[in-house]
Amino acid sequence: MKRNVLNIEDNKECREALAELTQKCDTAGAVFCVDNSADAYKYAHEEEIDLFLVDIVLNTKDAHDVSGIMIVKELRKMERYEFTPVIFITSLVDEAMNAFHNLHCFDYIEKPFDIEKVRKVINAALKAPLSDGREREVFYYRKDGVLYALNVDRIIYLEIALRNITIYTLDETIALNYLSLKQIMAELPRKYFIQCSRNVVLNRMFIEYVDKANLVVKLKNGKMVKIGGKMKKGFFDEL
């Protein structure tokens, strides 16, 4: 599964070098780059980030600046990022060590950094097991005021029309109203589900084969699903 990375670094050369190294990692998905706190929070809220690369000092004009640490403190307050791997990039080793322990970070890299070490640390973080709620193997949904639990290995695919979601399982079809695809994707375990078009999400366990030439996926129940033209690159990369 491809994992998204947010690279928070004020120095343009370092930011670009880290982005390039990250993009070369097999499991790296989208790599977002920012140089300030406001943009960091924006991407953290709007995207699903699986790894943060954070420079501790984002304002070199302030001798006491530790903006990166403050960002991570705020991120840790968000349930979705409570355990997300964080790698600090810094020349302040003492600050990095304190943050490393207090904020439960994955690792830290000292500036000026060694390219090979950076590559190994980022690769290791991207391959670390996800430990957030999205990895649960039961999908919970509410219908008519009742909470239901549905085992993930019974869901074949999901389809959305307007704000109505239809879940196709091994033995039934479940209709859920007033839910967006983004809302339901946030509740599904990401290691199983992959979006192939604007309105269809597939369970990887039920993919029989993918026809790249004709942009179709055959599911194990015989269903043929089209791959959206605008989403084909992201779909194949993540697949």
Side-chain angles (χ1 to χ4, degrees), residues 25-43:
C25 296
D26 292 340
T27 51
V31 180
F32 307 104
C33 296
V34 300
D35 62 4
N36 62 81
S37 301
D39 286 341
Y41 292 132
K42 179 177 181 292
Y43 276 99

Side-chain angles (χ1 to χ4, degrees), residues 20 22 24 56 63 101 104 115 127 135 141 160 162 174 180 188-189 191 193 212 225 230-231:
E20 184 177 353
T22 304
K24 290 180 179 178
I56 287 181
H101 292 293
H104 310 292
I115 291 178
K127 292 178 181 179
E135 286 302 288
Y141 66 93
I160 185 170
L162 298 177
I174 302 166
S180 68
L188 292 170
K191 68 181 179 182
F193 292 91
K212 290 188 176 182
V225 181
K230 292 184 178 180
M231 300 194 69

Side-chain angles (χ1 to χ4, degrees), residues 12 17 31 112 123 125 136 145 160 165 169 175-176 203 210 218 226:
K12 183 179 179 181
V31 180
N123 255 318
R136 60 183 178 269
I160 185 170
I165 296 281
T169 76
L176 301 178
N203 187 336
V210 177
K218 183 179 180 182
K226 293 286 291 183

Side-chain angles (χ1 to χ4, degrees), residues 25-110:
C25 296
D26 292 340
T27 51
V31 180
F32 307 104
C33 296
V34 300
D35 62 4
N36 62 81
S37 301
D39 286 341
Y41 292 132
K42 179 177 181 292
Y43 276 99
H45 281 281
E46 294 180 358
E47 305 291 340
E48 291 289 348
I49 306 300
D50 301 297
L51 171 63
F52 293 93
L53 305 178
V54 185
D55 184 13
I56 287 181
V57 179
L58 296 176
N59 181 7
T60 54
K61 294 180 181 179
D62 182 353
H64 304 289
D65 179 67
V66 286
S67 302
I69 291 177
M70 302 310 296
I71 290 172
V72 177
K73 282 184 177 179
E74 291 302 311
L75 292 173
R76 288 295 189 233
K77 295 177 183 178
M78 301 170 62
E79 185 177 356
R80 67 201 282 200
Y81 296 130
E82 188 176 358
F83 302 108
T84 302
V86 173
I87 298 173
F88 279 116
I89 315 289
T90 185
S91 56
L92 303 177
V93 178
D94 289 341
E95 292 287 357
M97 285 301 294
N98 289 332
F100 178 74
H101 292 293
N102 295 333
L103 296 173
H104 310 292
C105 296
F106 185 85
D107 209 336
Y108 74 91
I109 297 168
E110 187 178 357

Side-chain angles (χ1 to χ4, degrees), residues 202-211 216-224:
L202 308 177
N203 187 336
R204 296 169 187 266
M205 292 188 286
F206 289 94
I207 295 177
E208 184 169 323
Y209 68 78
V210 177
D211 183 343
V216 294
V217 178
K218 183 179 180 182
L219 302 178
K220 291 180 180 179
N221 67 344
K223 173 76 173 180
M224 303 294 288

